Amino acid sequence: MEKFVVKGLEEGLRGKVCISGSKNAVLPILAACLLTEEPCEIQNAPPLSDVRYMVELLRELGAEVDYDERTERIRVRAVALESIESTYETARKMRASFLVAGALLGRCGQARLSLPGGCQIGSRPVDLHLKGFQLMGVKSMQEHGFVELQAKNLKGNEVYLDFPSVGATENILLAAVLAKGKTVIENAAAEPEICDLADFLREMGAEIEGDGTDTIYINGVKGLHGAVHRIIPDRIEAGTFMAAAAITGGDILLENVREEHLKPVIAKLAECNVKTEMTKEGLRVYRKGKLHPTQLKTMPFPGFPTDMQAPFMSLMAVAKGTSMITETVFENRFIHAGELQRMGAEIKIDSRSAIIEGVDRLTGTRVKATDLRAGAALILSALAAKGETEISDIYHIERGYYKIDEKLRALGADIHRTEESDSNDI
Ligand code: UD1
């Protein structure tokens, strides 16, 4: 296994960084390609391990997939599906594999999927996905860790979500586009990735309105055709680089970003004394004075994204004064606090809140990435820490950040990867 070795910087990051396509947008869009037998082409698909797992799953289901990682293009042709089943191995590697459920129901009227199970950040159930499917005439049965879904007549209905779950909204949308009649998803998630999926589905001939709001209207159509689609920029990767500029007191330009997707992050950074400017070339992010403490609460979009919570904890760890984070989206998303404490951060966790007392400087040591965004938070902390930090289990980070080490090095960071020589237990 590989690890990152990061030396703390004395000067801020400087230069340009190009943001990749959104991981969370490309995964449901790949699932959507199963809805037609015509060829689809996805552009700006970041070569990440999660994307490779999804490509593998589409192939297991019988789709022909050509993934050119160099040009970041994926061509999918699902002429005939040979299987309607995802294995435990796939679900274990990537929870988003459950997103093929809606597409398989739309295309084949059935699916047999391994239940995703929990992960470091919480239990991650799929009850809302299943409730939505049931309302659309799907019979579901759970046995031996699998859920079997059968829909003789997939039909539209009104589906009210108890919580605006991103995955449930996507899965119901995927099932509804080929269902008979009209589906209304109320209390739907409004994340930009939902809009990107809806854009792709519309390009395939689907009838969808209201995406980006809390009510989505879908008119089922008889069939969908192929489409070519460019994935939106990854707002979480962008936010992470913005936080990297902030924590190092840098001045960087982010290319390929959508300012409207970054509003909650920009507003919070402003409170922390970090400036942003949208220019013709991209989004400039810089800090001249000291970091200010702040308070934040994670919320569904357009609230502050839970995926940016860990990177912001790193900022707060070195912002003079008291900061507070309340995590409302996931039940157990503070595991990174323990690793940050090993670097000298002063953090107290009380249930879903974290109180952070800023210290002058963190110090480098050996730490472990416990999940994707936690790993990003450790890199940020390491950039601003005194001395050297070794971050193990970086495969978590590579699920969602394309060439993060190369991109940071181009901005002046001292980060490199080496083989892990001994056990991860520290
Ligand atoms: C997606 C993102 C993830 C992000 C999250 C919230 C992908 C591949 N991942 O995950 O990066 O952190 O949105 O913005 O797009 N819940 C239920 N029942 C359900 C579904 C969800 O209780 O059936 C709960 C979850 O346990 C969690 C909350 O709802 O506490 C949010 O989950 P959800 O919005 O579904 O997130 P994901 O789609 O899994």
Side-chain angles (χ1 to χ4, degrees), residues 6-78:
V6 187
K7 286 211 179 85
L9 293 173
E10 297 305 325
E11 283 181 12
L13 296 177
R14 291 230 159 5
K16 288 182 189 173
V17 57
C18 186
I19 299 304
S20 296
S22 161
K23 166 182 90 76
N24 288 351
V26 76
L27 298 176
I29 285 176
L30 282 172
C33 295
L34 296 172
L35 288 164
T36 177
E37 53 186 45
E38 291 188 14
C40 294
E41 181 177 306
I42 312 302
Q43 301 171 349
N44 201 29
L48 299 168
S49 46
D50 271 15
V51 180
R52 293 188 193 110
Y53 295 143
M54 194 56 134
V55 163
E56 215 31 65
L57 174 56
L58 295 198
R59 285 188 182 132
E60 281 168 22
L61 297 172
E64 275 174 40
V65 190
D66 172 32
Y67 188 2
D68 183 346
E69 296 201 0
R70 196 183 50 82
T71 56
E72 303 190 3
R73 256 167 231 247
I74 307 180
R75 291 193 177 93
V76 183
R77 183 133 201 215

Side-chain angles (χ1 to χ4, degrees), residues 25-26 58 130 140 180 235 365:
V26 76
L58 295 198
L130 298 180
S140 77
K180 199 162 180 250
R235 64 194 168 100
T365 182

Side-chain angles (χ1 to χ4, degrees), residues 22-296:
S22 161
K23 166 182 90 76
N24 288 351
V26 76
L27 298 176
I29 285 176
L30 282 172
C33 295
L34 296 172
L35 288 164
T36 177
E37 53 186 45
E38 291 188 14
C40 294
E41 181 177 306
I42 312 302
Q43 301 171 349
N44 201 29
L48 299 168
S49 46
D50 271 15
V51 180
R52 293 188 193 110
Y53 295 143
M54 194 56 134
V55 163
E56 215 31 65
L57 174 56
L58 295 198
R59 285 188 182 132
E60 281 168 22
L61 297 172
E64 275 174 40
V65 190
D66 172 32
Y67 188 2
D68 183 346
E69 296 201 0
R70 196 183 50 82
T71 56
E72 303 190 3
R73 256 167 231 247
I74 307 180
R75 291 193 177 93
V76 183
R77 183 133 201 215
V79 176
L81 296 183
E82 289 158 10
S83 161
I84 46 129
E85 187 165 323
S86 80
T87 59
Y88 172 66
E89 270 313 301
T90 319
R92 197 173 59 90
K93 281 192 224 143
M94 184 187 54
R95 252 157 297 277
S97 63
F98 202 72
L99 290 173
V100 296
L104 286 174
L105 284 170
R107 179 84 190 265
C108 313
Q110 53 178 338
R112 185 170 188 270
L113 304 170
S114 180
L115 284 163
C119 72
Q120 292 280 31
I121 63 175
S123 61
R124 312 210 59 176
V126 288
D127 56 315
L128 299 175
H129 305 231
L130 298 180
K131 269 197 221 171
F133 290 153
Q134 274 155 18
L135 286 165
M136 298 175 72
V138 177
K139 294 214 160 52
S140 77
M141 198 183 74
Q142 288 186 29
E143 219 174 44
H144 305 299
F146 279 79
V147 59
E148 290 210 26
L149 303 169
Q150 290 280 348
K152 288 222 170 72
N153 281 311
L154 194 64
K155 56 178 194 320
N157 202 348
E158 280 182 17
V159 178
Y160 179 86
L161 294 177
D162 297 339
F163 180 88
S165 152
V166 173
T169 304
E170 290 167 343
N171 242 336
I172 295 162
L173 188 53
L174 286 164
V177 286
L178 287 180
K180 199 162 180 250
K182 192 166 177 166
T183 302
V184 183
I185 313 176
E186 289 178 272
N187 201 23
E191 268 68 2
E193 294 76 23
I194 305 274
C195 300
D196 207 28
L197 172 63
D199 280 342
F200 178 58
L201 290 167
R202 273 189 291 262
E203 286 152 13
M204 296 172 82
E207 292 180 15
I208 304 165
E209 279 177 21
D211 47 296
T213 75
D214 61 5
T215 311
I216 306 180
Y217 303 88
I218 306 117
N219 254 332
V221 294
K222 287 238 156 60
L224 296 173
H225 49 76
V228 178
H229 183 79
R230 191 172 172 80
I231 299 291
I232 54 169
D234 195 308
R235 64 194 168 100
I236 307 300
E237 187 198 12
T240 305
F241 277 95
M242 292 163 82
I247 203 165
T248 60
D251 188 344
I252 68 170
L253 187 83
L254 282 82
E255 295 170 328
N256 190 35
V257 290
R258 298 251 187 108
E259 191 186 15
E260 69 273 22
H261 296 169
L262 290 163
K263 289 252 161 86
V265 175
I266 290 173
K268 232 2 106 180
L269 284 176
E271 284 178 26
C272 297
N273 194 28
V274 180
K275 309 268 188 299
T276 49
E277 270 169 34
M278 198 65 203
T279 69
K280 264 194 245 143
E281 289 79 37
L283 184 67
R284 180 180 170 209
V285 187
Y286 61 100
R287 172 171 71 84
K288 293 220 166 75
K290 285 197 180 312
L291 271 175
H292 294 171
T294 188
Q295 305 209 338
L296 71 83

Side-chain angles (χ1 to χ4, degrees), residues 21 101 129 264 332 334:
H129 305 231
N332 188 26
F334 285 137

